[in-house]
Amino acid sequence: MEITFWIFVGLSVYSYLLFPLSLLLLATMFRRPWQKQGIRPLVSVIISVFNEEKVVAQKIQNTLDLDYPEEKLEILIISDGSTDRTVDVTRGFHDGRVVLKAHRERAGKTACLNRAVPEARGDIILFTDANSMFPGDILVKLVRNFADPEVGLVTGWTRYGEVDQAEDTTGIYSRFEKWTKIQESHVSSCVGADGAVFAIRKELFRTLRADDINDFVIPLNIIRQGKRVVMDPEVYCFEKSTDEAGKEYQRQVRITNRTLNAIRRNLEFLNPFRYGSFAYFLVSHKIMRFLVPFFLIATLGTNLMLLGTSHLYSFTLGCQLAALAVALSGVLGFTSGKITNIAKYFLVTMLAQLTAWVRTFAGISDTLWTPQR
């Protein structure tokens, strides 16, 4: 039982401690830099929107103001059955670079991308969200990565805070995720992209299933075609941060559910003989992390069975219960602070992942998503 307990402890911390250590070693020993040059290809920015009347004008103007040649920029606004003034607001922009595609029936973001990409004129397709704002030089920094013919997809990251403010409120988990993808990119390809800011070569786009999570499956399709998926830390967008546990819980349930279904349909990527280090990254970065809730439950259960055998196991149980108490106090709003916020976010994530596993086993796939702004 003691051996079982410590195995579950190791599995619980694997994705957050042991895997990053191994990743740092791999990135040091097998570093594969990619070429960057100041190129200016035609870029199509695709923004899928549903009832975004509050932010769509700001998003369009923000994109029009980017430091990039006007003749090399196209902005496609894809309205997914919006019922508010999103379409009217978009039509108010009398600029040839802004193209509106309004669909009456709602089909989901992925279905919108299937329609929009073939119609885009750009050699490079940049996917983004209506509430994600860009710094002026983002396109210049993004497209330079495509000077390397081996690079098929470039992802950035989301910085939380205002565009015109120096303050960065990005949480520790987001910073950890960014660091992980950077190290994976140095070795081969990173796992997944940031849905708010990632770009691909148009010729590499493949039609998606309606319930595919696009920022996970599109990178897989790129890797399947023998190209690299990399993160450039100088490519980022801005979003306003939210501290609402309920919204974060719903977001994590949706992301985990769709990612689990995508992994199930793409098991070939778990073959290290075909995909090398990326197979290891996928198992460690996604699958093992999604299993952490079960590992933690097993750790607690075996710890309870070991009570009375040693003072050590009274201490380890106390640590687990104390961490849970801190997380619950944060969720309920009794306490705050950096440690509390980390514990709260972790607990919300674990509960969301458990819910997502239940929905996945029940055959439920989350296809549509309503922005909560």
Side-chain angles (χ1 to χ4, degrees), residues 37-78:
Q37 290 183 2
I39 58 176
R40 296 293 183 274
L42 177 59
V43 177
S44 292
V45 180
I46 295 183
I47 311 168
S48 298
V49 295
F50 172 72
N51 289 355
E52 297 281 14
E53 63 177 9
K54 295 181 180 179
V55 297
V56 69
Q58 181 186 3
K59 176 63 177 181
I60 294 173
Q61 191 60 57
N62 169 257
T63 309
L64 289 171
D65 292 340
L66 296 179
D67 181 19
Y68 203 74
E70 291 188 9
E71 70 277 8
K72 295 288 188 177
L73 177 62
E74 176 186 47
I75 305 171
L76 291 175
I77 309 297
I78 316 299

Side-chain angles (χ1 to χ4, degrees), residues 49-353:
V49 295
F50 172 72
N51 289 355
E52 297 281 14
E53 63 177 9
K54 295 181 180 179
V55 297
V56 69
Q58 181 186 3
K59 176 63 177 181
I60 294 173
Q61 191 60 57
N62 169 257
T63 309
L64 289 171
D65 292 340
L66 296 179
D67 181 19
Y68 203 74
E70 291 188 9
E71 70 277 8
K72 295 288 188 177
L73 177 62
E74 176 186 47
I75 305 171
L76 291 175
I77 309 297
I78 316 299
S79 175
D80 183 29
S82 295
T83 57
D84 64 354
R85 295 185 61 255
T86 296
V87 172
D88 294 333
V89 172
T90 303
R91 285 175 175 155
F93 283 84
H94 303 290
D95 189 304
R97 291 172 290 174
V98 180
V99 179
L100 172 65
K101 302 288 184 179
H103 304 292
R104 292 185 179 181
E105 296 183 1
R106 193 172 184 211
K109 182 177 180 180
T110 300
C112 285
L113 299 186
N114 284 336
R115 297 171 178 173
V117 174
E119 299 178 2
R121 295 188 298 112
D123 301 308
I124 302 299
I125 309 294
L126 171 58
F127 303 102
T128 184
D129 295 329
N131 66 317
S132 306
M133 303 301 159
F134 293 148
D137 61 355
I138 185 173
L139 291 183
V140 174
K141 291 183 176 179
L142 185 149
V143 299
R144 64 186 180 181
N145 295 277
F146 289 103
D148 192 320
E150 293 301 311
V151 172
L153 183 151
V154 179
T155 183
W157 55 284
T158 299
R159 176 174 176 174
Y160 293 94
E162 298 292 342
V163 178
D164 55 353
Q165 294 179 357
E167 182 182 8
D168 182 4
T169 59
T170 306
I172 188 170
Y173 182 85
S174 296
R175 294 175 187 271
F176 173 69
E177 186 73 3
K178 170 190 169 186
W179 180 89
T180 301
K181 288 183 177 180
I182 290 173
Q183 304 310 313
E184 291 171 342
S185 300
H186 287 325
V187 180
S188 54
S189 290
C190 63
V191 178
D194 187 316
V197 53
F198 75 99
I200 68 169
R201 299 182 190 272
K202 180 183 176 180
E203 73 265 18
L204 297 178
F205 181 79
R206 297 294 180 265
T207 302
L208 304 168
R209 290 171 51 112
D211 57 348
D212 275 338
I213 178 169
N214 66 87
D215 53 8
F216 181 73
V217 176
I218 290 178
L220 292 183
N221 288 339
I222 299 296
I223 295 170
R224 182 180 281 117
Q225 296 173 74
K227 300 298 183 180
R228 293 179 68 181
V229 172
V230 300
M231 167 173 274
D232 186 336
E234 295 188 46
V235 175
Y236 58 88
C237 64
F238 292 91
E239 287 188 13
K240 293 182 179 179
S241 60
T242 176
D243 194 37
E244 297 184 38
K247 290 183 179 180
E248 182 60 27
Y249 169 79
Q250 294 175 11
R251 190 179 79 91
Q252 289 291 343
V253 169
R254 171 179 170 268
I255 290 174
T256 305
N257 170 258
R258 299 187 73 185
T259 303
L260 286 171
N261 281 313
I263 293 173
R264 178 175 55 83
R265 292 193 293 264
N266 293 275
L267 293 177
E268 65 181 274
F269 288 95
L270 302 181
N271 182 355
F273 298 103
R274 183 173 180 181
Y275 293 103
S277 59
F278 181 77
Y280 171 63
F281 297 160
L282 180 58
V283 171
S284 303
H285 191 155
K286 290 297 183 183
I287 298 177
M288 291 294 288
R289 188 178 295 182
F290 289 155
L291 289 172
V292 168
F294 300 104
F295 297 150
L296 290 175
I297 292 172
T299 299
L300 179 60
T302 52
N303 199 155
L304 289 171
M305 295 179 185
L306 289 168
L307 280 181
T309 62
S310 169
H311 292 303
L312 172 63
Y313 297 110
S314 297
F315 173 75
T316 55
L317 178 62
C319 290
Q320 293 178 74
L321 295 178
L324 179 60
V326 171
L328 286 173
S329 68
V331 171
L332 298 174
F334 296 152
T335 58
S336 60
K338 182 175 292 188
I339 299 299
T340 299
N341 288 338
I342 293 173
K344 178 181 74 173
Y345 182 89
F346 188 78
L347 176 61
V348 169
T349 300
M350 294 300 103
L351 293 175
Q353 289 178 353

